[in-house]
Amino acid sequence: MELNTTKDAFDRVVKKQKLSSSKSHEVIDQVGHEIQQALAQIVSTHDPTSLVDHKTILTELKVQLNAISPFHQLEGSQKELNINLSKFPKLLEKTFNPDISKAYRNVDFDYHTVNQIIANHFYQQGFFDFGDSIINEAGEPETAVAKFQFFEMHQILEAMKVRNLEPALRWVYANRRKLKHNGSNLELKLHSLQYMEILEKGSQADAINYAKTYLAPFAFLYKEEIMKLMGCLAYRGRLTSSPYAELMSPSHWEKSTEELIQQFCSLLGQSYNSPFGVAIAAGFEGLPTLLKLANVMAAKKQEWQAMKQLPVPVELGKEFQFHSIFVCPVSRDQGSEENPPMLMPCLHVLCKQSIMKLSKSSTRTFKCPYCPAEASVAQCRQLYF
Amino acid sequence: MEMDSLPNGNSATPNPSSALIPTAAAPPSSKLNQLAESLKLEHQFLRVPFEHYKKTIRANHRVVEKEVSSVISSVAEAADRDGMSRDEAVNHLSSLVSRLQGLKRKLEEGSRVEHLQAQRCRARLDHLESADAQNLSEWNNVKVKRILVDYMLRMSYYDTAVKLAESSNMQDLVDIEVFQEAKKVIDALQNQEVAPALAWCAENKSRLKKSKSKFEFQVRLQEFIELVRAENSLRAITYARKYLAPWGPSHMNELQRVFATVAYKSTTECTIYKVFFEPKQWDFLVDQFKQEFCKLYGMTLEPLLNIYLQAGLSALKTPYCYEDDCTKEDPLSQENFRKLALSLPYSKQHHSKLVCYITKELMDTENPPQVLPNGYVYSTKALEDMAKKNNGKITCPRTNFVCNYKDLVKAYIS
Ligand SMILES: [Zn+2]
Ligand SMILES: [Zn+2]
């Protein structure tokens, strides 16, 4: 985005402000100088009984100050500054969208709910003091459950950061059955990390002992992985230049950490990403389109507050796609239970209503709108996404 | 309706020539375009510190004008006065000299503040400029925090706002100082004190007048009501003459109704008058003040968080979100979000967007959908993976239907 115009305009404001400010200093100095001169004159008059002298000086000073006409002096630079001060906001309104709340619907957006959402966001990210702080300041009831569960997760992660796997392993042992059900071999991954740590920093005997106790149970299911790990024994002390150097990469720690978060959240019944983060990010992507839509609708005097479905798509990245939406290419209707997607023998897909129309209510065969193939209703079957 | 002016609003007519190519999703608009669009939303981000800066400049200038003018008239007055002794004249002028020196110090302090505020404006311009396609996700993280701080400041959760801003070292990117000014007025109104609110009105008189604000009138009304409540009719009437009467021409109806309260007591059961005495009138004043305050600084009236969250929820909302099997990665699978989205519209799609039930990945040309003989559809990736692990056998995870990989057919969905 072109910001140079805005920056230049701002620089002009600052320049005029500096000019105006130094003009103020100048005027004050001038006035001060005149007064000081007058003062010096009065002090230097010798006859203390003389009324005329200092009176004359004061009158002269008055005339002198009027001649300086300080306000006239200040006016010029102030005027230029004012012009720039009122120009700049106008430029901002032109360059940016001056009111993004045009896309906002004035519906009850319950702030207690929003506060809970924010607190949970902080807890999930591990910012427990922020979560507690907003709950406190807003006077919301505590959402203790989510907080303590996330607290455990972040303790595990903190320990992993300093390569302490104990808390992580304790959690894995406690949830072995569920992890297995999820198809996760996190336990093996954590033991491998621990084994590599010992191999690098501890004695050979320790490493062998560890392998016997903790890696051996996986030997049957994960033959190759275990063989690699054991092979490392031959290169102890020079692993970084061995064929197994890759096993030393910190990326293994990162991946295992990520998997732990994933599994932990999954067992909690929580999402991997903060739902608040996801919804706001969708807002970042969607708001520009919604604003354009709101403007178009306002111009056509259409109701923004009450509509049931947006009239146009708001394209979001694929990370925001959580549901299968089938849109019939002929009718543009969204698939539903009453009007499901149907697969034709040519493997093109239309919605049921479109097929009923084309077949004149299943009284005849029809040509696929997208290829030369013919089909009858009986040959079409419903799809489930 | 036709929405051809929208960049993403693909035209509603099907295009048979491209329909033969199986695609599931329109290509996402380029990151750069997205960035430019999202920077355009940052009006408030630049406007608020600028208004703050402007306000300081004006205030500083007023001080200079006032002081210089009062020094000059003080000289004139001394010159015109008869019988001033020499010593008196010396003292008088000396006091004016030190007054000007005081003014210079004040002006220097003022310049320092102006400078800091100009720097804040620059920091924000630089922050907008620093966003590029590579650091967009980091930049958006900061934006989320900015939006959170904005929400907290507007909701008067000052401590949390300050903590969050400090911990992320983003004090220049949020408007804590600006809101400190609001806090004084809000705190006072919540204690049923009007002085700071009235002072604020006086400070911003010309701009409030320009926007036809009636906030001051409402504050004055409330002060009047409090006098009536205290059964101080005489003072109430004097107050009304002085402070309410000037609003007569534009607010006659309200005025008449309020004057009538003098005849009633605060315990009145008459609904028209009872409402004036309710304590929630003070909350109403706080809300009114917040609105005026936001307007004055060029802020949106709603917290940014509400605007973005609503936009996001509208874009995400589908009828499937309210079903039990909505994936937990979808914010709308959670009760809190469902509640907020309840009266928002559903999103609209012009093209099919299919998500694999197994992998949750988008099914598109690279990862096309395949149909089991029972009509259930999964992504090629998921099915290949399953076939590899089970000697070519496919088991439908939703129906337990079993078939061979070679029994599957690719569906062409446009
Ligand atoms: Zn066909
Ligand atoms: Zn959903």
Side-chain angles (χ1 to χ4, degrees), chain A residues 344-348 366-374, chain B residues 16 19-20:
Chain A
M344 295 186 285
C346 59
L347 304 179
H348 284 118
F366 58 95
K367 194 188 88 59
C368 167
Y370 299 109
C371 74
E374 291 269 333
Chain B
L20 285 171

Side-chain angles (χ1 to χ4, degrees), chain B residues 26-40:
Chain B
S29 53
S30 81
K31 279 273 176 226
L32 272 180
N33 185 27
Q34 195 182 311
L35 180 63
E37 290 286 334
S38 98
L39 287 183
K40 280 211 179 111

